[in-house]
Amino acid sequence: MGKKFKLCSKRKVILIVGSIIVSISAVISTINIRYGYSLNNYENYRERNSSNITITEMMNKNLAKIEKGPSSIDNKIVYITVDDGPSRYTDEIIDILEKYNAKATFFLLENNMKRYPDKVNNIINNGNKAGFHGVSHDIHELYKNGASARKEFEVNQDTFFNITGETSKLIRLPYGSKPYTPCEVYNDLINCGYRIWDWNIDTQDWKLNPNQIIENVKINSENKDEIIVLIHEKQQTVECLGEILDYLSNQGYEFKTIDQNQIPQNFWSNNLYK
Ligand SMILES: [Zn+2]
């Protein structure tokens, strides 16, 4: 009887341990599916195109749809990204952001960092984040080959470090990571550890007037819970930035900066927030 009881207990223990292992595996595979863009996956992910989509990615897409559910005002996130600075408008942009309790990510050009070092520090000291936008801003120079692109961002890195004592892995490629950036250049930069970010709302503020810029944001943010808004350091942008931030805030968006370790959203990896 005692022996039988012991056997039963052993079996029970084996059963319990077994089910725990099965449960843990299930949780791990769910995490893998849910957060499929782990760093290793990401390296592979960017190699594949949409016609070569894996089961995990398909499930990921479906899960995202299910989890999204009805548009929730609590989960809306906006990343304001500011290109081509610093400039004479930087401090004003920072002040406007401050008014709306918003922070932004600034992608800085070499010559402008050298010209306005105080503004680079102002960006950082006010809780905003910085990344790089190159030296030449010329597709024929920057994208000549991997070495030319690496060099530009190394120079950016050195200048930024000399001014702030900080480093950054974030990059916004001039004119976006597609279509001008050759695959070799993209891969070289990724292999150097840079995080390349594009956008899913192009305000086209470099050529539009304030009303058109605002309209652009309104139309293109419709039904999107996560948006990366591209703006530039321009007079017309400064004129309407307050209204844009006011609108997004009223729509329930939370302003966030891009984190150094966040998986980058870009045209090559085809994983931009839809
Ligand atoms: Zn630019």
Side-chain angles (χ1 to χ4, degrees), residues 27-46 48 54-61 63-64 67 263 271:
V27 169
I28 288 171
S29 54
T30 309
I31 289 170
N32 265 333
I33 292 165
R34 173 72 179 81
Y35 301 102
Y37 305 128
S38 74
L39 276 184
N40 289 338
N41 280 353
Y42 170 67
E43 293 303 318
N44 298 328
Y45 184 83
R46 66 191 165 79
R48 294 189 292 269
T54 65
I55 302 261
T56 307
E57 284 158 7
M58 274 166 67
M59 290 177 80
N60 216 338
K61 270 191 175 174
L63 270 178
E67 281 172 13
I263 299 301
N271 65 347

Side-chain angles (χ1 to χ4, degrees), residues 105-142:
T105 307
F106 290 74
F107 291 96
L108 308 173
L109 281 168
E110 177 67 12
N111 288 344
N112 292 346
M113 279 196 275
K114 280 185 171 157
R115 187 168 173 194
Y116 301 106
D118 291 349
K119 295 178 196 293
V120 178
N121 277 319
N122 198 17
I123 289 169
I124 301 299
N125 294 338
N126 277 282
N128 297 284
K129 293 283 161 26
F132 307 123
H133 200 45
V135 179
S136 65
H137 207 280
D138 179 340
I139 54 173
H140 303 294
E141 287 291 319
L142 177 60

Side-chain angles (χ1 to χ4, degrees), residues 178-190:
K178 268 189 178 180
Y180 302 109
T181 317
C183 188
E184 177 214 345
V185 170
Y186 177 83
N187 284 335
D188 260 33
L189 292 171
I190 295 287

